[in-house]
Amino acid sequence: MAATNETSFPERNRGWYQDDLTEVNEPMRKLLENYSYVPSSEVVKHVNAIRERGFAANPYPCIGLYRFANLTLLTHPLYDTIIERLKADSATYLDVGCCFGQDLRQLVHDGVPSDRLIGLDITEALMDLGYEFFRDRETLKSRFVVADVFKGPDQGSVWTQIQERGVDVMHCSAFLHLFTLEEQVVAAKQLAGLVKKGGIIVGRQMGSVKPGNVAAIQEGSFSYRHDVDSFDAMWREVGEATQTRWKVEGTLDKPVSMVLLPSLCRTRPQQVLSLRVTVIGVNTKSPVEDENSRRFLFTVARIE
Ligand SMILES: C[S@@+](CC[C@H](N)C(=O)[O-])C[C@H]1O[C@@H](n2cnc3c(N)ncnc32)[C@H](O)[C@@H]1O
C-alpha cells in the first residue's frame, strides 16, 4: 500500500493520510466479521483497501485518518434509546454526511429494520463503496440519497420526500464542523426542516475549548469549532429563523494528554500518536487540529 509521503498524490502530504492500519478496533472488527462476514484474517487488509479507494474518491481527513473505522453513533450515550425508538415506532433515521454508511450498518446489525434508515451524502462514490465495505448490496434495504444539504428543498424530491416523511433520529457526525459558522447556520436550518417535533439530532464533531474559526482543509478556507455554548447559541438562531425550538446538550472530551498520555509516554511511546488519532480523534500534528481541539458530542432535541 502507498506510503504517506508519496508525492504523486499531494493530498497525502497535508497530514491527514496516516499509514495503513495494522489492527482494526474491536467494534468495527466485530461488525465486519459478524455482519459482513469478512474473514477475521482479512479484516485489516479489507479496511485498508476501502480507505485507499475512499480517499481517492474524496480526500477528507475522516477517511485518510481512518475516522470512518470508529463507529461513532455506538459511543453516543443515547445509543440504546435510539435503537429502541427505531425498532418500536417504525421511526425514520437519517445519517447526514453518512460517508460509507458505517453507523447505519451497526444499527441494522443491532436489529433495526434497514428500510427505516436513510443515508445522505454529496459524494455518491462513498455511499457506493459502502456496499463493498459491508458486502450487503443484495440484502440492505436502506436508501442512500445523493444530496447537498445546502440546497435543501431546491433539489426537489430527493429532499422533499424525506421532509414529508419526517426524521425521528438524525445522525450528523463530523459534518457541521466542515463549515464556517455562517454556513453551519444555513445547513442547520435545512436540517431543522427535516426533523419531526420530538425528534433528535445526535453526533460527534471536532469542537474547541476556544470556539472560533480554524484553518479548514481547503487552503485559505476556515471552519468553525464550537463549544457547548456556541452550539446552543447557533441552534437558538436556527430555531428563531425556522419557528422551531431546540434543546442542546453536549460534552467536550478532556484532552487526551490529561487522561492517557503521561502513563503511555512512559510505557508505550510508539502508540501515543495513533491513540491521539483513533481514540480521542485529536491529532495535534495535523495542520487542521491544535491543542484546543476536543471531541464534541452532542444531542439537539426538537421541543417545538
Ligand atoms: C468528514 S466526513 C464524515 C463522515 C461520517 N459522518 C463520519 O462521522 O465518519 C463528511 C461527509 O460529509 C459529506 N459532505 C460534505 N459536504 C456535504 C454536503 N454539502 N451535503 C451532504 N454531504 C456532504 C462528505 O462527502 C463526507 O462523506
Side-chain angles (χ1 to χ4, degrees), residues 58 60 62 97 99 102 121-123 126 147-150 173-175:
N58 201 346
Y60 269 114
C62 64
C99 194
Q102 61 273 16
D121 204 286
I122 202 168
T123 313
L126 296 180
D148 180 347
V149 166
F150 289 90
S173 272
F175 175 73

Side-chain angles (χ1 to χ4, degrees), residues 157-198:
S157 60
V158 285
W159 190 272
T160 53
Q161 271 180 10
I162 302 173
Q163 200 164 26
E164 280 153 23
R165 186 168 162 180
V167 172
D168 298 272
V169 179
M170 180 182 285
H171 181 223
C172 186
S173 272
F175 175 73
L176 289 168
H177 74 187
L178 299 172
F179 309 108
T180 64
L181 183 57
E182 293 71 25
E183 290 166 336
Q184 290 186 34
V185 170
V186 174
K189 282 185 202 164
Q190 298 290 15
L191 297 177
L194 299 178
V195 178
K196 288 181 191 166
K197 190 170 163 187

Side-chain angles (χ1 to χ4, degrees), residues 224-265:
Y224 189 90
R225 297 252 168 93
H226 285 281
D227 66 4
V228 183
D229 290 342
S230 67
F231 203 58
D232 184 41
M234 182 177 92
W235 281 97
R236 263 186 278 125
E237 182 180 344
V238 169
E240 279 162 24
T242 55
Q243 284 87 53
T244 53
R245 215 150 64 81
W246 303 83
K247 182 173 176 227
V248 171
E249 288 176 318
T251 50
L252 288 178
D253 270 358
K254 286 200 171 60
V256 68
S257 52
M258 288 166 62
V259 189
L260 288 168
L261 285 185
S263 59
L264 269 176
C265 281

Side-chain angles (χ1 to χ4, degrees), residues 58 60-63 66-73 95-103 120-124 126-127 145-151 155 159 171-179 187 204-205 217:
N58 201 346
Y60 269 114
C62 64
I63 298 175
Y66 288 100
R67 299 259 170 83
F68 68 89
N70 295 324
L71 293 161
T72 316
L73 187 60
D95 199 326
V96 174
C98 67
C99 194
F100 301 127
Q102 61 273 16
D103 294 290
L120 181 150
D121 204 286
I122 202 168
T123 313
E124 187 169 15
L126 296 180
M127 294 189 287
V145 182
V146 184
D148 180 347
V149 166
F150 289 90
K151 294 189 179 151
Q155 296 161 104
W159 190 272
H171 181 223
C172 186
S173 272
F175 175 73
L176 289 168
H177 74 187
L178 299 172
F179 309 108
R204 176 271 287 147
Q205 62 188 28
I217 58 174

